[in-house]
């Protein structure tokens, strides 16, 4: 009789047995045996069952025969990535940009750096060289292509001017980076401009997970501008579409097919279609303008590669490009503003640990004092504001705000404070809140210090504001023009909410970017003269108190409620406003992270009456609505800087 066949490895039962034997064998191997199937005559079987199962059941690395035993498989290596950097006149942005590259959550030994720089008039080459020397051993491969002989292209009018020679040169460099990536069998090519700040350390992994040939992380900017187009004309130019803003504002989230991405994007070189992509030379059928991003988008189209932009998260930030006649100073200040915008919702972005930065030299911009109001318990706001001011080289005196929450009715009466008879909040019909009381006293104390110290011009700012681009230069220019033209002023808003929206405010002849202020809310920031402070104090507001942003319009005779103004006989404050404004709130009603210490509080003399409704629907803290054409201050003289501060898509 021939020997029985060996057991089947897969099922561990004898191959000669019939179906019933097979089923029984499997049941014993993988199922717990119920006690009702064990007879009293089988006591030893139950005691031996655990041992039998241990022998028969394989562990994670145990087989039936010794040769079947194995160790778990090791994880796959991360895909190989070439990071291609083409930098020119980037000394102002490189420390932060390179720091962000260092902090990418990706194995550095799977990254190759391809770095080129040329035509610099700043310290870009030295910064890149020093950085590469420090990090070259951390990365898999480094290719360094400096060129210091030339400082400008032929017929170039300035460092921000792009002519055909410059476009062609950049396209050739990007093509060289692409060819290097292919030669070393890289899986991906990451293209990143040297002022794009990737704040999301997982950006590389997240883009790879989208499984797209060309995919870009949507980058934030101070404007509607971002690193993608939703429409393109038949000549290859930008076309506005209704699809753009919902994506840009993240009202729609996902990865979207678009005709163009630029600045920062990932190319999957494992895709067969990627072999047809090229930056240079342009495709034989290309007849549009010579522009590196348009040429590459056309190449993708002809290769049947769809470009995508992802806005599922916040991946990073970048500045709005300068006009062709801009200077390196303009670009550096615009980049600083990008840093400030990051700090509104994120921790400060730190520079590369391998680069040393010269210390900044803060000053007061010519003011006698710069006051910054901050509640002691709001250390997060204080730290953000101090860092924000430092990055702009501004110094300030931190003024501890009066904490309305700590005041009770006895405290108020001891200071001989009395509320304005008949005052009610115009939106909710409530009296003053403790927060509004503390806010008024905080500003009042500054007015008193200005008067006591004899400070001729002061800047007062609160701790929950964000600065506009070119803030320092625009404010200095405004102050200089006001002084040159000997404008008689007491107060100049630099941040407010305009409440009179029926008609234009009156412009000031011969002075750029200033109007006579009409009824306004908020005291985010304002300039105050010694004469203005004295006028406010002489009105004795503590014995007829109302919110500070209601009191100021009363004092310049623009409050819509005449009953309030009747309590103040002299209302001759000379009040103006910057136009456009130079500071805005960091948050508005309904925004994530919105907190109002003035409105979201309790009524000053009754702690049982809360005002938490402000969180959801207060019109006072909502963003300024779009003004009608009739109400826009279109007659104001505008400086060149205002043209560079536009918030358009392109």
């Amino acid at each position: 009789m021939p020997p029985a066949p060996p057991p089947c490895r897969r099922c561990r039962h004898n191959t000669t047995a019939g179906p019933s034997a097979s089923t029984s064998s499997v049941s014993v191997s993988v199922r717990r045996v119920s006690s009702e199937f064990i007879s009293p005559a089988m006591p030893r079987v139950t005691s031996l069952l655990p041992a039998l199962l241990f022998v028969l059941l394989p562990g994670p690395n145990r087989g039936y025969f010794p040769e079947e035993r194995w160790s778990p498989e090791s994880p796959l290596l991360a895909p190989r990535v070439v990071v291609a950097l083409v930098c020119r006149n980037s000394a102002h942005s490189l420390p932060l940009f390179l720091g962000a590259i260092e902090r990418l959550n990706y194995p550095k030994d799977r990254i190759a750096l391809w770095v080129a720089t040329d035509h610099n008039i700043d310290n870009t080459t030295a910064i890149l060289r020093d950085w590469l020397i420090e990090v070259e051993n951390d990365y898999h491969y480094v290719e360094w292509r400096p060129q210091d002989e030339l400082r400008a292209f032929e017929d170039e009018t300035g460092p921000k001017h792009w002519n055909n020679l410059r476009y062609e040169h950049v396209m050739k460099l990007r093509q060289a980076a692409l060819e290097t990536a292919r030669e070393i069998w890289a899986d991906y090519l990451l293209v990143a401009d040297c002022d794009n700040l990737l704040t999301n350390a997982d950006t590389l992994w997240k883009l790879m997970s989208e499984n797209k040939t060309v995919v870009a992380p949507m980058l934030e900017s101070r404007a509607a501008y971002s690193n993608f187009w939703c429409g393109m004309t038949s000549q290859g130019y930008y076309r506005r579409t209704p699809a753009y803003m919902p994506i840009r504002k993240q009202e729609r989230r996902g990865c979207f097919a678009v005709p163009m991405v630029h600045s920062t994007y990932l190319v999957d070189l494992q895709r067969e279609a990627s072999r047809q992509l090229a930056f240079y030379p342009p495709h034989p059928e290309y007849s549009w303008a010579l522009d590196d991003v348009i040429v590459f988008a056309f190449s993708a189209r002809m290769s049947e590669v769809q470009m995508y932009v992802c806005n599922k998260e916040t991946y990073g930030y970048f500045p709005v490009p300068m006009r062709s006649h801009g200077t390196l100073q303009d670009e550096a200040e615009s980049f600083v503003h990008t840093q400030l915008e990051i700090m509104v919702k994120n921790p400060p972005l730190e520079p590369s640990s391998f680069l040393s930065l010269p210390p900044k030299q803060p000053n007061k911009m010519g003011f006698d004092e710069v006051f910054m109001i901050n509640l002691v318990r709001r250390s997060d706001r204080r730290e953000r504001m101090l860092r924000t001011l430092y990055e702009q080289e501004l110094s300030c005196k931190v003024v501890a705000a009066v904490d309305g929450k700590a005041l009770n009715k006895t405290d108020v009466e001891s200071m001989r404070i009395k509320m304005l008879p008949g005052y009610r909040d115009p939106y909710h019909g409530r009296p003053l809140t403790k927060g509004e009381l503390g806010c008024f006293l905080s500003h009042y104390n500054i007015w008193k210090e200005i008067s006591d110290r004899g400070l001729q011009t002061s800047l007062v700012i609160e701790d929950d504001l964000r600065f506009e681009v070119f803030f320092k230069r625009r404010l200095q220019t405004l102050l200089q023009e006001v002084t040159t033209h000997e404008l008689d002023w007491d107060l100049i808003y630099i941040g407010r909410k305009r409440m009179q929206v029926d008609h234009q405010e009156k412009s000031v002849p011969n002075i750029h970017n200033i109007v006579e202020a009409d009824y306004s809310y908020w005291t985010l920031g304002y300039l105050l003269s010694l004469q203005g402070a004295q006028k406010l104090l002489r009105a004795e507001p503590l014995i007829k108190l109302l919110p500070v942003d209601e009191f100021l319009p009363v004092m310049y005779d623009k409050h819509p409620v005449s009953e309030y103004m009747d309590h103040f006989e002299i209302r001759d404050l000379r009040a103006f406003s910057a136009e456009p404004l130079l500071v805005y709130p960091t948050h508005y009603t309904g925004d994530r992270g919105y907190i109002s210490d003035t409105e979201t509080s309790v009524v000053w003399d009754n702690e049982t009456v809360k005002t938490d409704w402000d969180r959801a629907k207060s019109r006072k803290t909502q963003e300024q609505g779009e003004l009608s054409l009739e109400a826009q201050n279109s007659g104001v003289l505008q400086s060149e800087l205002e043209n560079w501060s536009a918030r358009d898509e392109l």
Side-chain angles (χ1 to χ4, degrees):
M1 178 180 295
C8 172
R9 290 186 179 183
R10 183 178 183 88
C11 300
R12 296 190 185 88
H13 61 269
N14 192 300
T15 55
T16 60
S20 60
S22 171
T23 303
S24 174
S25 176
V26 173
S27 298
V28 172
S29 299
V30 299
R31 292 171 57 190
R32 178 174 297 173
V33 180
S34 174
S35 59
E36 65 186 65
F37 295 112
I38 302 175
S39 69
M42 298 175 60
R44 294 179 60 84
V45 173
T46 55
S47 62
L48 291 175
L49 186 58
L52 179 62
L53 291 175
F54 176 80
V55 172
L56 293 179
L57 286 176
N61 60 352
R62 157 194 297 267
Y64 188 82
F65 293 107
E67 61 268 22
E68 291 182 298
R69 297 171 185 167
W70 74 95
S71 298
E73 294 291 345
S74 62
L76 293 173
L77 291 170
R80 294 158 294 193
V81 182
V82 170
V83 177
L85 310 180
V86 177
C87 307
R88 184 189 180 197
N89 292 324
S90 303
H92 61 280
S93 62
L94 281 175
L96 287 182
F97 170 77
L98 296 175
I101 294 295
E102 291 171 22
R103 288 187 292 272
L104 286 175
N105 180 25
Y106 201 86
K108 289 182 171 56
D109 61 354
R110 304 295 289 173
I111 295 178
L113 298 174
W114 192 98
V115 185
T117 187
D118 51 66
H119 295 82
N120 295 306
I121 58 175
D122 66 2
N123 206 29
T124 293
T125 302
I127 293 173
L128 286 171
R129 182 186 295 114
D130 292 347
W131 183 72
L132 289 172
I133 289 172
E134 293 291 337
V135 304
E136 63 178 338
N137 292 330
D138 297 331
Y139 291 90
H140 173 69
Y141 169 82
V142 171
E143 186 165 333
W144 171 226
R145 294 193 175 198
Q147 191 266 89
D148 290 329
E149 289 76 20
L150 299 176
R151 295 167 61 86
F153 290 95
E154 185 179 349
D155 297 328
E156 188 178 65
T157 60
K160 301 310 300 173
H161 176 225
W162 284 78
N163 57 22
N164 285 349
L165 287 175
R166 181 173 182 180
Y167 278 121
E168 184 175 5
H169 180 70
V170 169
M171 288 189 289
K172 288 179 178 178
L173 289 176
R174 296 209 190 281
Q175 182 65 27
L178 176 60
E179 290 172 359
T180 294
R182 287 168 173 160
E183 288 169 3
I184 66 174
W185 298 96
D187 299 305
Y188 292 92
L189 173 70
L190 177 69
V191 174
D193 288 350
C194 297
D195 57 0
N196 293 193
L197 301 174
L198 295 177
T199 55
N200 190 327
D202 294 321
T203 295
L204 264 178
W205 287 114
K206 292 179 182 297
L207 294 181
M208 290 177 183
S209 69
E210 298 298 335
N211 293 316
K212 308 295 185 186
T213 307
V214 179
V215 60
M218 189 187 78
L219 299 178
E220 299 287 336
S221 78
R222 62 177 173 79
Y225 177 79
S226 190
N227 59 320
F228 69 98
W229 294 4
C230 275
M232 185 182 290
T233 69
S234 58
Q235 292 78 37
Y237 292 109
Y238 182 80
R239 180 170 61 86
R240 293 180 185 270
T241 72
Y244 182 85
M245 289 309 297
I247 296 175
R248 175 65 185 87
K249 293 181 177 180
Q250 294 180 305
E251 294 168 357
R252 297 177 61 209
R253 288 180 182 256
C255 277
F256 303 94
V258 293
M260 154 87 78
V261 295
H262 59 85
S263 299
T264 292
Y265 50 90
L266 187 70
V267 181
D268 186 348
L269 301 177
Q270 303 167 99
R271 304 280 177 177
E272 184 176 351
S274 73
R275 299 168 66 182
Q276 306 303 317
L277 295 174
F279 293 95
Y280 189 86
H283 191 277
E285 297 182 22
Y286 187 82
S287 60
W288 298 342
L290 195 64
D291 183 304
D292 59 312
V293 297
I294 303 177
V295 167
F296 187 65
F298 188 87
S299 173
R301 176 186 296 186
M302 300 307 291
S303 303
E304 297 185 347
V305 170
Q306 178 63 62
M307 290 180 160
Y308 290 85
V309 65
C310 292
N311 70 347
K312 295 178 180 179
E313 303 179 29
T314 298
Y315 301 97
Y317 296 74
F318 72 153
V320 176
M322 289 287 97
R323 305 292 173 89
S324 61
H325 55 282
T327 66
L328 289 189
Q329 180 191 354
D330 300 330
E331 188 169 45
E333 291 181 22
S334 176
F335 184 78
V336 167
H337 184 262
T338 301
Q339 287 181 254
L340 308 187
E341 287 294 282
I342 291 174
M343 284 189 275
V344 171
K345 298 180 180 179
N346 306 276
L349 198 60
E350 300 299 339
S352 166
S353 58
F354 299 107
L355 299 175
S356 59
L357 300 178
K360 294 182 180 290
Q361 304 294 329
N363 60 69
K364 297 178 183 177
M365 288 189 296
F367 292 104
D368 294 308
E369 191 60 88
V370 177
F371 297 95
M372 192 267 284
I373 302 173
N374 167 256
L375 279 169
V376 173
R377 57 184 166 87
R378 293 288 184 202
S379 59
D380 55 335
R381 291 182 176 181
R382 181 170 61 255
E383 291 168 5
R384 184 191 72 84
M385 278 297 294
L386 289 176
R387 179 66 179 268
T388 296
L389 292 169
Y390 175 78
E391 294 296 344
Q392 298 178 92
E393 297 192 278
L394 294 173
S395 60
C396 75
K397 176 180 180 179
V398 179
V399 177
V402 176
D403 194 341
K405 285 187 176 181
L407 297 174
N408 56 41
K409 192 173 181 181
T410 303
D411 296 328
V412 174
E413 291 172 350
S414 68
M415 290 185 280
R416 298 181 180 178
I417 294 175
K418 295 180 180 179
M419 303 304 152
L420 184 75
Y423 172 75
R424 287 291 184 269
D425 177 88
Y427 296 112
H428 306 300
R430 55 159 174 77
L432 244 68
T433 68
K434 281 191 172 186
E436 288 172 330
L437 175 58
C439 181
F440 192 105
L441 293 176
S442 301
H443 285 271
Y444 181 87
N445 290 342
I446 290 176
W447 305 339
K448 194 169 184 308
E449 181 174 342
I450 290 172
S451 178
D452 293 345
R453 292 173 58 188
L455 304 177
Q456 293 298 317
T457 57
S458 299
L459 173 63
V460 181
I461 56 177
E462 296 179 343
D463 65 358
D464 56 348
L465 58 79
R466 66 201 304 168
F467 295 91
E468 277 290 86
V469 66
F470 305 124
F471 166 79
K472 188 173 181 179
R473 204 193 319 176
R474 290 160 75 181
L475 184 54
Q476 287 175 319
T477 301
L478 177 63
L479 190 60
Q480 182 179 4
E481 286 205 39
V482 164
T483 303
T484 300
H485 292 277
E486 298 181 341
L487 180 68
D488 181 18
W489 66 275
D490 297 319
L491 179 145
I492 301 176
Y493 289 105
I494 61 170
R496 60 171 177 153
K497 181 175 182 178
R498 184 177 156 194
M499 300 305 293
Q500 183 286 109
V501 294
D502 296 327
H503 54 267
Q504 293 184 15
E505 293 172 307
K506 187 177 179 181
S507 60
V508 178
N510 303 318
I511 302 180
H512 291 88
N513 309 119
I514 193 168
V515 294
E516 294 183 13
D518 212 314
Y519 181 42
S520 304
Y521 272 165
W522 303 344
T523 48
L524 288 172
Y526 56 89
L527 280 58
L528 189 63
S529 69
L530 174 59
Q531 175 181 270
Q534 291 169 341
K535 287 182 179 181
L536 296 174
L537 294 172
R538 279 199 297 266
E540 298 184 318
L542 297 189
I543 60 173
K544 38 197 170 181
L545 198 69
L546 70 169
V548 65
D549 56 357
E550 302 277 12
F551 171 64
L552 293 179
V554 165
M555 290 302 295
Y556 57 82
D557 205 32
K558 292 290 185 179
H559 201 287
V561 182
S562 59
E563 289 83 356
Y564 298 166
M565 293 199 293
D566 289 344
H567 290 275
F568 300 89
E569 183 177 352
I570 301 176
R571 305 185 298 272
D572 61 350
L573 192 74
R574 297 274 294 159
F576 300 86
S577 176
E579 178 67 36
L581 299 170
L582 303 182
V583 297
Y584 289 88
T586 55
H587 299 83
Y588 297 98
T589 300
D591 287 353
R592 180 183 297 179
Y594 166 75
I595 298 175
S596 171
D597 290 305
T598 54
E599 303 237 340
T600 307
S601 181
V602 295
V603 171
W604 76 273
D605 60 349
N606 189 344
E607 295 190 1
T608 64
V609 180
K610 299 194 176 191
T611 61
D612 280 346
W613 57 74
D614 171 74
R615 293 181 182 274
K617 59 185 180 182
S618 173
R619 288 181 56 194
K620 188 170 185 177
T621 49
Q622 286 177 349
E623 187 172 1
Q624 179 83 61
E626 186 174 352
L627 300 175
S628 66
L629 290 175
E630 294 77 15
Q632 292 176 11
N633 292 328
S634 56
V636 182
L637 289 174
Q638 296 291 331
S639 68
E640 181 65 21
L641 280 175
E642 307 314 319
N643 296 328
W644 292 357
S645 307
R647 294 178 173 271
D648 294 336
E649 300 172 28
L650 193 67

